[in-house]
C-alpha cells in the first residue's frame, strides 16, 4: 500500500482528487446545459412558440410527496427498489421531509431521528460524532447512505440543511441496501439531496441558538431552458458562536451544488458538496461509572468536563455523486451511479469519557484521558442496474438487477494525555495533548465490498397482493487482514390489501450482514476465516390510513450472531435476540391538529454468551419502552400561528450485562411555535423551539457496560425564514 506525500489516503481507482473530479463533472453538466440552452435560443430566434412544461413522470426515482401535516413523506427509498409508497412497502419505514426538519430546527441527522421511538443514540446530543441504536442494535455514523449509496456521508455527524429527506428503514436490509462499511444491522438511514423543483426558490434562513450561536442558510433553486429541463440548486450554510455547553464554541461551513437534466428518455443528476465542522473548548461528557450499585445524580447538562482553551476538534467532508438513468425499451430502464468522498478529522473527537468511581460518590472527583486524534478515510463507490416491467398472465412483474462496488480505505493515529483529574460537578480546565506528529499513523481499513443482486416484485389479485423476492451475493474483501469471503442474503416481502388501498397487511423475512473475521493465533482454529455474519429479521405488521392519518403497528424479531470463545475455539456461536412491537403515526387528526411519532416496546436478550455468563439476561443499553409523540396545532382564529409540542420518554435500561445496575427512565418536553407573515411583499416565517423545557439533568442513554451519556440542558433556538 502506498501513502501519498500529502498523507492523504491513496485509492486504486482514485487518480484524481474528489475536487478535481467534481470540477470536471460540473464542466460537463454545465456545458451540456449551455449547449441545450443555446440550441433552444437559436430555434426561438426564428419563431416564438408556445411553451409547454412537461411534468416529470412518476417512477421509482420520483421523490414521494409529503403526507398531510408536512412532517413525513408518503414513501421512502428502499435501496435498489427505489422509491416505494408507504402502503406498498413490505417493512416499517419513515421519511422526514425538509419542511418538518426545518420547523423543528434540527441541524443533524441525529436530531431528526430523535423523533422516532425505534431510535436512540449512543453518543450524546451535541457530540461531534453521532451514533445510534435502531431496534436495539447499533448503527453508527458510517452506516448512513446518500441516494442509497453507503460511504458518502460523514463518518462523524452529518448536517441536514442540504437534504430533502432523512429516511429510515427499520431492521436489517442487506438485500436492499447492501453491506454498510461498519456492518451495522439495526436499520438503514438514507439521505436524499435537495433538487430544483418546478417553482423558483430564493430563501434565507437565519437562526440564533443557545447561547449565542448564529447561522445563515441560503437556499436557491432554478430550472433553466425553454422546457425547464436543467435544474440548479445551491445550499450554503455558515454558522458560529457559543453553544449550550458552558464555554464551548462551534462553527460549520457547508456548500452543496445540485445539478440535474430531465430528458425525454432519461435524466442526469450531479451533487457536489463540502462540509466542515469546528468545535472549540470542550465536548459533552460520556461518563464511565466504575463500581456503582446505583446510578448517581447527573450533573447539569451544560457541564463541560473537558473544557480547555486549546481543546479543539475538526471534521471535513467533501464528495460528489453522479447518477443517470435512461429508457432502453418499453418497460425497461438502465441506471448507473458513481460516488466519491473524502473524510478527514483531527483533535478531540474520541475519548470524551471521565471515569467516576463509586469511592468518589460524595466528592464527584473523576479522572479521564483526552485524545488528540487524526485520521483520513476515502470511499469510492459504483452502482449499475437494470429495471424492467412485464406481465405473465395476471401477474405483473417489476424486476431490478444491480451490481455494486464500494472501496473504503483509511486509518488514524492519536495521542493521549496523562490522566486528567477533575470534578464531575465543578470541572477544571484541561490541556490538549500533542497532535498527530506525536503518534504513528495506522491503516485500519482497506476493504472492497462488491455485490450482485436480483429482486422481483410481483403484483397479483388485481393489485391486492404484492410478493417481493430477492437475492444478493455479497463479497467482503479486507486486504489488511487477508480476508475474502462471500455470503448470499435473501429477502421475502408480502403486502396484502384485503379492503382496498386504506389497509395493508405486510410481512417480511430479511437478513443483514456484518463482516466476518479471521481467528487469532491463540485459538485452536487460528487462521480460520468466517463468512459475513447473518442477522435475521422476521416482521409482521399492519398499516392503515384513516382520512389524513397513517398508522403502523409492527411486530418483529431480530437475531444477531457474535463471535465467542467455545472451549479452545473461537466460533460465531454467540447471539443476541431482540423482539418488539412498534406503533407509529403521522398525519392530520383534524384540519388544525397534526401528529407524529409513536412508541416502541423492545425486549433484548443475551441468548448465547461466552461460557454462559449472563445468558438469558437482558442486553444492556436497550430500553424496554421508548416513546416520542409530537403535535402541531393551528390556533383557532389565528391560522398564521402554529404551536408545537413533543414528549420524549426513554424507559429504564440495564447499565451492565449482569442486570444488576439499571439506568432510570427519563422524560423531557420540547415546545415550539411558528408564525407566518408578510414583510412588505415578502413571505416571512418566524420560528421558536425550546428543547428540554424543564431543564432536566439526566443521563439519556447507555453506550457500553457502565457507560452513560449526559443529556443536554434546556436549549432555545430562534429562526426567521425569508422567501424572496
Amino acid at each position: 500500500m502506498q501513502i501519498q506525500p500529502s498523507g492523504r489516503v491513496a485509492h486504486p481507482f482514485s487518480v484524481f482528487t474528489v475536487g478535481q473530479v467534481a470540477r470536471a463533472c460540473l464542466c460537463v453538466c454545465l456545458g451540456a446545459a449551455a449547449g441545450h440552452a443555446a440550441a433552444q435560443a437559436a430555434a426561438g430566434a426564428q419563431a416564438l412558440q408556445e411553451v409547454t412544461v412537461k411534468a416529470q413522470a412518476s417512477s421509482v426515482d420520483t421523490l414521494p410527496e409529503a403526507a398531510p401535516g408536512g412532517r413525513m413523506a408518503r414513501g421512502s427509498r428502499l435501496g435498489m427498489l427505489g422509491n416505494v409508497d408507504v402502503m406498498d412497502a413490505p417493512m416499517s419505514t419513515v421519511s422526514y421531509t425538509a419542511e418538518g426538519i426545518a420547523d423543528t430546527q434540527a441541524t443533524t441527522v441525529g436530531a431528526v431521528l430523535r423523533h422516532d421511538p425505534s431510535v436512540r443514540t449512543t453518543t450524546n446530543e451535541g457530540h461531534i460524532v453521532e451514533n445510534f441504536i435502531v431496534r436495539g442494535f447499533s448503527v453508527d455514523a458510517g452506516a448512513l447512505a446518500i441516494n442509497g449509496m453507503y460511504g458518502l456521508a460523514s463518518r462523524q455527524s452529518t448536517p441536514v440543511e442540504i437534504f430533502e429527506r432523512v429516511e429510515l428503514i427499520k431492521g436489517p436490509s442487506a438485500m436492499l441496501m447492501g453491506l454498510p462499511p461498519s456492518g451495522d444491522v439495526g436499520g438503514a438511514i438514507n439521505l436524499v439531496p435537495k433538487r430544483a423543483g418546478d417553482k423558483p426558490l430564493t430563501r434565507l434562513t437565519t437562526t440564533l441558538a443557545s447561547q449565542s450561536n448564529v447561522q445563515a442558510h441560503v437556499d436557491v433553486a432554478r430550472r433553466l431552458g425553454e422546457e425547464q429541463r436543467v435544474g440548479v440548486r445551491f445550499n450554503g450554510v455558515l454558522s458560529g458562536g457559543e453553544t449550550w455547553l458552558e464555554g464551548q464554541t462551534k462553527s460549520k461551513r457547508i456548500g452543496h451544488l445540485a445539478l440535474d437534466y430531465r430528458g425525454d428518455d432519461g435524466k442526469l443528476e450531479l451533487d457536489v458538496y463540502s462540509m466542515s465542522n469546528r468545535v472549540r473548548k470542550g465536548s459533552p461528557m460520556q461518563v464511565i461509572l466504575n463500581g456503582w450499585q446505583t446510578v448517581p445524580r447527573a450533573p447539569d447538562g451544560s457541564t463541560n468536563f473537558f473544557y480547555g482553551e486549546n481543546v479543539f476538534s475538526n471534521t471535513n467532508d467533501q464528495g460528489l455523486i453522479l447518477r443517470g438513468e435512461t429508457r432502453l425499451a418499453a418497460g425497461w430502464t438502465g441506471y448507473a451511479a458513481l460516488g466519491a468522498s473524502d473524510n478527514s478529522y483531527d483533535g478531540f473527537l474520541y475519548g470524551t469519557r471521565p471515569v467516576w468511581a463509586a469511592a468518589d460518590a460524595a466528592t464527584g472527583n473523576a479522572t479521564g484521558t483526552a485524545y488528540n486524534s487524526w485520521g483520513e478515510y476515502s470511499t469510492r463507490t459504483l452502482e449499475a442496474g437494470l429495471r424492467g416491467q412485464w406481465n405473465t398472465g395476471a401477474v405483473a412483474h417489476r424486476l431490478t438487477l444491480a451490481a455494486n462496488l464500494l472501496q473504503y480505505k483509511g486509518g488514524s493515529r492519536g495521542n493521549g494525555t496523562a490522566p486528567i483529574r477533575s470534578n464531575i460537578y465543578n470541572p477544571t480546565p484541561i490541556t490538549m495533548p500533542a497532535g498527530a506528529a506525536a503518534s504513528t499513523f495506522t491503516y485500519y481499513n482497506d476493504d472492497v465490498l462488491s455485490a450482485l443482486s436480483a429482486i422481483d416484485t410481483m403484483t397479483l389479485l388485481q393489485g391486492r397482493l404484492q410478493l417481493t423476492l430477492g437475492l444478493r451475493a455479497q463479497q467482503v474483501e479486507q486486504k489488511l487482514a487477508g480476508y475474502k469471503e462471500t455470503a448470499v442474503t435473501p429477502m421475502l416481502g408480502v403486502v396484502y390489501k384485503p379492503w382496498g388501498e386504506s389497509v395493508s397487511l405486510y410481512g417480511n423475512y430479511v437478513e443483514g450482514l456484518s463482516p466476518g473475521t479471521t481467528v487469532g493465533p491463540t485459538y485452536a482454529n487460528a487462521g480460520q476465516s468466517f463468512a459475513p455474519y447473518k442477522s435475521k429479521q422476521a416482521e409482521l405488521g399492519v398499516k392503515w390510513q384513516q382520512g389524513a392519518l397513517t398508522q403502523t403497528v409492527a411486530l418483529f424479531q431480530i437475531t444477531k450472531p457474535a463471535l465467542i470463545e467455545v472451549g479452545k475455539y473461537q466460533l460465531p456461536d454467540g447471539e443476541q435476540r431482540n423482539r418488539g412491537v412498534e406503533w407509529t403515526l403521522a398525519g392530520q387528526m383534524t384540519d388544525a391538529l397534526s401528529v407524529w411519532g409513536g412508541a416502541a416496546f423492545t425486549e433484548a436478550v443475551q441468548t448465547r454468551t461466552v461460557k454462559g455468563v449472563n445468558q438469558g439476561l437482558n442486553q444492556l443499553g436497550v430500553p424496554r419502552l421508548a416513546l416520542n409523540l409530537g403535535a402541531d396545532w393551528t390556533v383557532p382564529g389565528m391560522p398564521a400561528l402554529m404551536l408545537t409540542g413533543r414528549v420524549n420518554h426513554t424507559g429504564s435500561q440495564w447499565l451492565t450485562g449482569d442486570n444488576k445496575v439499571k439506568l432510570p427512565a427519563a422524560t423531557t418536553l420540547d415546545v415550539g411555535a411558528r408564525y407566518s407573515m408578510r414583510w412588505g411583499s415578502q413571505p416571512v416565517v418566524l420560528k421558536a423551539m425550546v428543547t428540554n423545557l424543564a431543564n432536566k439533568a439526566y443521563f439519556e442513554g447507555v453506550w457500553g457496560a457502565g457507560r452513560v451519556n449526559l443529556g443536554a440542558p434546556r436549549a432555545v433556538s430562534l429562526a426567521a425564514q425569508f422567501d424572496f
Side-chain angles (χ1 to χ4, degrees), residues 265 327-333 387-390:
D265 295 316
R327 187 175 66 178
L328 302 175
W332 290 90
T333 301
R387 293 192 177 107
Q389 300 183 39
W390 75 94

Side-chain angles (χ1 to χ4, degrees), residues 149-229:
M149 302 174 72
Y150 283 123
L152 302 178
S154 174
R155 296 185 72 250
Q156 286 82 40
S157 65
T158 301
V160 294
E161 288 89 349
I162 68 175
F163 297 110
E164 190 67 37
R165 301 284 160 81
V166 174
E167 302 176 330
L168 173 65
I169 304 175
K170 299 178 184 180
S173 54
M175 174 62 235
L176 297 174
M177 297 286 292
L179 173 65
S182 55
D184 298 329
V185 300
I189 301 168
N190 183 54
L191 310 175
V192 182
K194 292 179 176 178
R195 308 231 84 81
D198 293 329
K199 296 181 179 180
L201 175 69
T202 304
R203 176 172 294 167
L204 170 65
T205 304
T206 59
T207 305
L208 173 63
S210 303
Q211 295 290 332
S212 59
N213 197 276
V214 178
Q215 174 171 300
H217 174 199
V218 176
D219 187 357
V220 179
R222 294 289 189 275
R223 300 213 67 85
L224 310 175
E226 185 176 344
E227 293 184 306
Q228 306 282 282
R229 293 182 181 270

Side-chain angles (χ1 to χ4, degrees), residues 25 135 170 188 296 319 334 348 356 391 416 441 459 489 613 649 664 685 710:
C25 291
R135 287 188 168 175
K170 299 178 184 180
F348 187 37
W356 187 9
N391 295 337
F441 182 87
T459 303
T489 55
V613 177
H649 175 80
V685 182
L710 183 63

Side-chain angles (χ1 to χ4, degrees), residues 455-648:
I455 191 166
D456 185 18
T457 298
M458 294 167 279
T459 303
L460 307 86
L461 303 180
Q462 298 178 328
R464 296 198 305 273
L465 177 64
Q466 295 181 35
L467 179 64
T468 301
L469 300 173
L471 284 176
R472 176 184 290 257
Q474 180 81 57
Q475 184 179 86
V476 180
E477 181 180 7
Q478 298 172 331
K479 296 181 180 180
L480 299 181
Y483 173 91
K484 189 175 183 179
E485 294 287 344
T486 301
V488 177
T489 55
M491 173 186 171
L492 168 63
V494 179
V495 175
Y496 181 50
K497 302 177 180 178
W499 304 293
E501 294 297 320
S502 61
V503 177
S504 291
L505 308 178
Y506 77 93
N508 66 66
Y509 172 82
V510 295
E511 293 185 356
L513 286 177
S514 300
T517 57
T518 301
V519 178
T522 60
Y523 295 95
N525 59 333
Q528 180 179 2
S529 294
F530 296 109
Y533 308 138
K534 295 183 180 181
S535 299
K536 302 175 182 180
Q537 172 179 274
E539 179 178 355
L540 293 173
V542 57
K543 305 174 185 178
W544 71 97
Q545 293 180 333
Q546 186 175 9
L549 183 67
T550 301
Q551 301 185 66
T552 300
V553 172
L555 300 170
F556 68 88
Q557 174 177 294
I558 305 173
T559 57
K560 180 182 180 181
L563 201 64
I564 62 173
E565 181 181 328
V566 181
K568 297 180 179 180
Y569 296 83
Q570 195 174 39
L571 301 172
D573 286 350
E575 184 183 77
Q576 176 183 339
R577 185 196 66 212
N578 291 7
R579 291 173 174 166
V581 56
E582 298 165 340
W583 164 66
T584 58
L585 77 166
Q588 290 181 299
M589 296 188 70
T590 68
D591 290 341
L593 182 64
S594 299
V595 293
W596 74 94
F601 179 87
T602 306
E603 182 182 60
V605 178
Q606 305 170 69
T607 45
R608 292 201 299 269
T609 64
V610 178
K611 299 178 181 179
V613 177
N614 299 332
Q615 190 159 300
L617 299 181
N618 292 116
Q619 177 68 27
L620 63 88
V622 181
R624 286 209 168 194
L625 177 64
L627 180 145
N628 298 84
L629 281 176
D632 291 329
W633 180 55
T634 301
V635 178
M638 300 180 65
L641 177 62
M642 179 176 288
L643 304 180
T644 297
R646 183 176 71 219
V647 60
N648 314 288

